[in-house]
Amino acid sequence: MRRLTVLSPAKLNLVLDIMGKRPDGFHELRTIFERISLADQIILSRNKSSKITIHCAHPDVPRNTGNLAYKAAEMLSRDFSVPKGLDINIIKNIPVAAGLAGGSSNAAAVLSGLNRLWQLGLNNAQLVKYASGLGSDVTFFLYNTSYALGTGRGEQIKPLAIKTKLWHVLVTPRVKMYTKEVFARLKLNLTNKKDNVNILLPFLRNGDLMRLAGALSNDLEPAILSLRPDFYYLKRKLLDAGAVGVCFSGSGPSVYALATSQKHALSLRAKFDRRYTQVFVVSTL
Ligand code: C5P
């Protein structure tokens, strides 16, 4: 095989509970991931050079060794002594540094794609080990599941057998937010902490959208709003437009609304000004 195309979807966090700060500087999380239909495409092609080259038309995607997709390929090529000669073509649809884990998903797609292209014969547990060294959000994308519970740094994944299909409007302001910066602004208040994961799960399982809407939560919201207080109005606007619930994804700035159907999501999207934001209708994948 010379060439392989892999889909690289984004995620949303339906709940993001921060349990505390760890000695290694990371935060202990409990999160519910949802895989969504907004996706990049990654084309992996062998070539006769001895280099790994990243190609991407999007100006904010690093074309150098700092790209997680590059790091993923480099690790496998080193550990399995594969002659590098590889073009990684990223067709970017997922906004960059937006709380949607696009870069992490690209890295996971490269790991599983190269496992096939280079016929490495790695099992999922071995791929997960590589993924967790790359970033906290990478491992989720190696599980073929719509929803999962993430614990630890977010890298310990328990797939959830839930069939509910959700529709969302996803609004991403044209502003990048760096996870590290958002976490640095976090003021931990762990008294009377609610178990938001277990509050939400039964509503998600039963497709009870009204209660699900009320159970969406993200402990990073105060930190995101401390960087950009005006994003409060984005949430407000979505609710005023008729969303049943709204929440930030990951470390922001993406905000998503829960809609009752595709039609409802399309009508919400129509109310948004595209000059300052990117607006997508997405569903559970
Ligand atoms: O793992 P990842 O590279 O995505 O994390 C980026 C940054 O976000 C980390 O350097 C850390 O500052 C912060 N982070 C954290 N706790 C987590 C995940 C990320 O503090 N569970």
Side-chain angles (χ1 to χ4, degrees):
M1 198 178 354
R2 223 189 71 75
R3 171 190 277 245
L4 188 66
T5 302
V6 226
L7 199 72
S8 175
K11 60 83 182 162
L12 298 178
N13 301 86
L14 299 181
V15 169
L16 202 165
D17 274 2
I18 313 252
M19 313 307 290
K21 193 161 182 186
R22 317 189 329 177
D24 64 4
F26 281 87
H27 292 79
E28 193 69 19
L29 310 181
R30 279 170 61 77
T31 185
I32 303 287
F33 288 112
E34 179 193 1
R35 183 188 305 258
I36 56 167
S37 53
L38 177 65
D40 296 338
Q41 243 187 54
I42 310 256
I43 304 155
L44 301 168
S45 327
R46 288 173 186 267
N47 65 39
K48 293 209 165 66
S49 79
S50 58
K51 283 195 299 199
I52 297 168
T53 313
I54 304 268
H55 308 266
C56 184
H58 193 297
D60 296 333
V61 172
R63 243 69 53 83
N64 55 27
T65 54
N67 191 311
L68 282 184
Y70 179 95
K71 289 185 184 168
E74 168 67 26
M75 276 198 313
L76 291 183
S77 131
R78 184 193 58 215
D79 286 5
F80 295 90
S81 308
V82 182
K84 286 177 186 157
L86 179 73
D87 288 308
I88 304 176
N89 228 302
I90 304 173
I91 300 168
K92 235 324 131 196
N93 300 311
I94 306 172
V96 177
L100 303 170
S104 298
S105 173
N106 292 173
V110 167
L111 287 176
S112 57
L114 287 181
N115 190 32
R116 285 167 57 203
L117 188 75
W118 287 346
Q119 300 181 321
L120 304 178
L122 294 170
N123 62 30
N124 211 52
Q126 289 168 305
L127 288 176
V128 163
K129 251 197 194 138
Y130 279 102
S132 65
L134 288 168
S136 308
D137 280 341
V138 183
T139 55
F140 166 64
F141 297 103
L142 292 173
Y143 292 83
N144 185 17
T145 182
S146 297
Y147 301 100
L149 170 67
T151 55
R153 284 187 286 127
E155 91 291 9
Q156 287 169 32
I157 298 298
K158 183 178 161 226
L160 299 166
I162 295 175
K163 296 264 190 302
T164 309
K165 178 172 176 172
L166 301 177
W167 283 97
H168 307 281
V169 178
L170 175 63
V171 180
T172 306
R174 296 187 190 277
V175 168
K176 277 175 267 164
M177 274 207 172
Y178 291 98
T179 310
K180 207 181 172 89
E181 242 174 80
V182 174
F183 270 101
R185 289 188 153 248
L186 188 66
K187 291 194 177 69
L188 286 177
N189 175 9
L190 302 172
T191 44
N192 298 322
K193 180 99 188 79
K194 284 195 292 175
D195 181 353
N196 292 309
V197 165
N198 281 313
I199 293 172
L200 176 130
L201 276 180
F203 305 143
L204 180 61
R205 252 191 206 107
N206 300 334
D208 182 342
L209 296 187
M210 293 305 150
R211 289 196 175 93
L212 178 65
L216 301 171
S217 72
N218 185 336
D219 282 351
L220 289 174
E221 176 169 324
I224 297 167
L225 290 178
S226 78
L227 282 164
R228 288 297 300 253
D230 52 322
F231 290 168
Y232 167 79
Y233 296 103
L234 209 55
K235 283 185 77 180
R236 198 59 264 158
K237 229 174 136 190
L238 276 164
L239 285 170
D240 290 347
V244 285
V246 291
C247 194
F248 283 103
S249 182
S251 53
S254 296
V255 172
Y256 63 89
L258 185 61
T260 52
S261 63
Q262 181 180 24
K263 194 171 159 212
H264 183 211
L266 288 167
S267 81
L268 289 174
R269 182 176 65 178
K271 297 185 178 145
F272 269 82
D273 185 339
R274 312 275 170 83
R275 264 180 306 169
Y276 308 108
T277 55
Q278 301 159 85
V279 191
F280 309 90
V281 167
V282 301
S283 59
T284 311
L285 188 65

